[in-house]
Amino acid sequence: MAADVYHRGERAAQRRAGLLDQGAFSSRAVRAEIPEVARGFLLQQPMLVLGAADDRERMWATLLTGRPGFLHAEDDRTLAIDARPAPGDPLHDRLTEPAPVGMLAVEPARHRRMRMNGRAVPTARGLRVDLDQVYSNCPKYIQKRQPRWEQATPSAPRRSRALTGDQQRWITGADTFFIATAGPDGHADASHRGGAPGFVHAPSPTVLRWPDYAGNAMFNTLGNLEVRPRAGLLFCDWRTGGVLQLTGTARTDWDPARAAAVPGAERLVEFTVTDVVETAGASPLRWSDPVPSRFNPPAALDLPS
């Protein structure tokens, strides 16, 4: 079954981690249809993280929001999204045409998340996605937050090739980010990473590092990086609605001795920044202060370079 679900990069990552059998077990959760219970879950969600490649093959992750009901299943293989990236978003132009997308619906208040991958086409209201894969992910490392709505007044996006000092502080104070990658066939994926504030390090304006914690052993993200190192990161300011989008390349450090120096780490990941887009007030969603996940390891003061 694993051979049917996983591509060669995912199987390679599972072998390197010594978790090939566990990955095969986790593959049973992957399906092409939206289960009935998942339809109800989607109708309740006010946000969706979407990952895709732009027209230069750079990976980006973006945040789509709407009142509950903006995500709805048209049938068991099709997701309708009544939103699309705003002008100025790195994926705005790309998603005016059909494109492979990876999506993650996250409900921080109840520690739930649902992953979906497929092909998006533009519609009058937003996007329609014909799904290839649908599955739940484990709830570890999701910080509990309650949403509320405020009037959004997005600023013009600020673009650069490196992080400012304020952006580095934003990242190193974060307890959550999202990552977009793609497999050897170009199929996109979006995933969640969480931990105690400080779990992501920014040793320079163009380098980030973070620990990779124990998960469901599917290795979708790290498996994609085995064959395509391009990745996109999304950091959200939960209080102000600001978003910080990064694109670049990532590599996995599989050295167990280096991971052993970091609490909870099973391996380390290093990301090299090539482009930065910051948009203040991008989202009308605001979130309460977090209740940290009980699974968060303590953040390390430093990570091996």
Side-chain angles (χ1 to χ4, degrees):
M1 182 175 292
D4 295 333
V5 171
Y6 298 124
H7 61 66
R8 56 186 173 84
E10 292 164 328
R11 293 193 295 273
Q14 291 166 6
R15 280 194 297 270
R16 297 185 76 162
L19 295 172
L20 200 59
D21 290 343
Q22 188 175 338
F25 177 81
S26 295
S27 72
R28 300 173 188 175
V30 181
R31 61 181 71 195
E33 302 82 18
I34 305 173
E36 190 63 36
V37 66
R39 293 190 185 203
F41 169 77
L42 289 169
L43 283 170
Q44 299 169 4
Q45 303 315 308
M47 76 171 188
L48 180 79
V49 175
L50 183 147
D54 66 12
D55 57 6
R56 292 168 53 188
E57 295 303 318
R58 299 175 299 180
M59 294 301 300
W60 295 93
T62 193
L63 183 69
L64 302 180
T65 62
R67 296 286 181 174
F70 93 108
L71 303 175
H72 51 98
E74 292 186 344
D75 55 46
D76 63 359
R77 297 289 297 270
T78 309
L79 177 69
I81 307 170
D82 293 343
R84 71 171 67 149
D89 186 285
L91 291 177
H92 173 268
D93 293 347
R94 180 67 184 93
L95 291 177
T96 60
E97 299 179 350
V101 297
M103 299 168 291
L104 189 71
V106 185
E107 187 176 26
R110 299 175 65 184
H111 297 104
R112 297 197 296 175
R113 55 180 169 166
M114 177 180 170
R115 209 154 167 168
M116 298 164 286
N117 302 325
R119 186 168 182 82
V121 296
T123 67
R125 295 176 64 90
L127 299 168
R128 186 184 73 248
V129 184
D130 297 321
L131 298 170
D132 298 319
Q133 292 187 332
V134 179
Y135 53 105
S136 297
N137 275 163
C138 72
K140 287 182 176 179
Y141 321 118
I142 296 177
Q143 327 309 331
K144 186 174 183 178
R145 288 180 163 92
Q146 300 289 343
R148 70 179 190 279
W149 293 89
E150 291 190 8
Q151 183 69 34
T153 53
S155 67
R158 294 174 50 199
R159 302 174 186 275
S160 64
R161 302 298 297 273
L163 298 164
T164 65
D166 285 344
Q167 290 168 342
Q168 287 178 275
R169 284 185 284 275
W170 177 347
I171 288 167
T172 57
D175 58 35
T176 301
F177 72 92
F178 304 95
I179 180 168
T181 56
D185 54 6
H187 288 181
D189 180 78
S191 188
H192 161 276
R193 292 293 185 270
F199 84 108
V200 184
H201 290 243
S204 85
T206 57
V207 174
L208 303 182
R209 296 192 187 101
W210 63 85
D212 190 65
Y213 300 137
N216 56 18
M218 300 179 85
F219 288 92
N220 304 121
T221 297
L222 299 192
N224 285 345
L225 296 179
E226 288 288 297
V227 292
R228 291 171 66 104
R230 295 186 177 186
L233 307 187
L234 170 68
F235 291 84
C236 300
D237 188 320
W238 304 100
R239 296 180 300 102
T240 70
V243 298
L244 181 62
Q245 296 165 277
L246 316 178
T247 193
T249 58
R251 67 174 186 87
T252 308
D253 182 347
W254 294 93
D255 185 342
R258 292 159 64 82
V262 180
E266 300 206 330
R267 56 207 65 85
L268 306 175
V269 181
E270 181 172 288
F271 179 83
T272 301
V273 177
T274 59
D275 293 276
V276 179
V277 179
E278 180 182 349
T279 308
S283 168
L285 276 177
R286 304 293 186 271
W287 298 81
S288 64
D289 291 339
V291 177
S293 168
R294 63 185 178 88
F295 295 100
N296 289 347
L301 294 177
D302 197 10
L303 297 185
S305 60

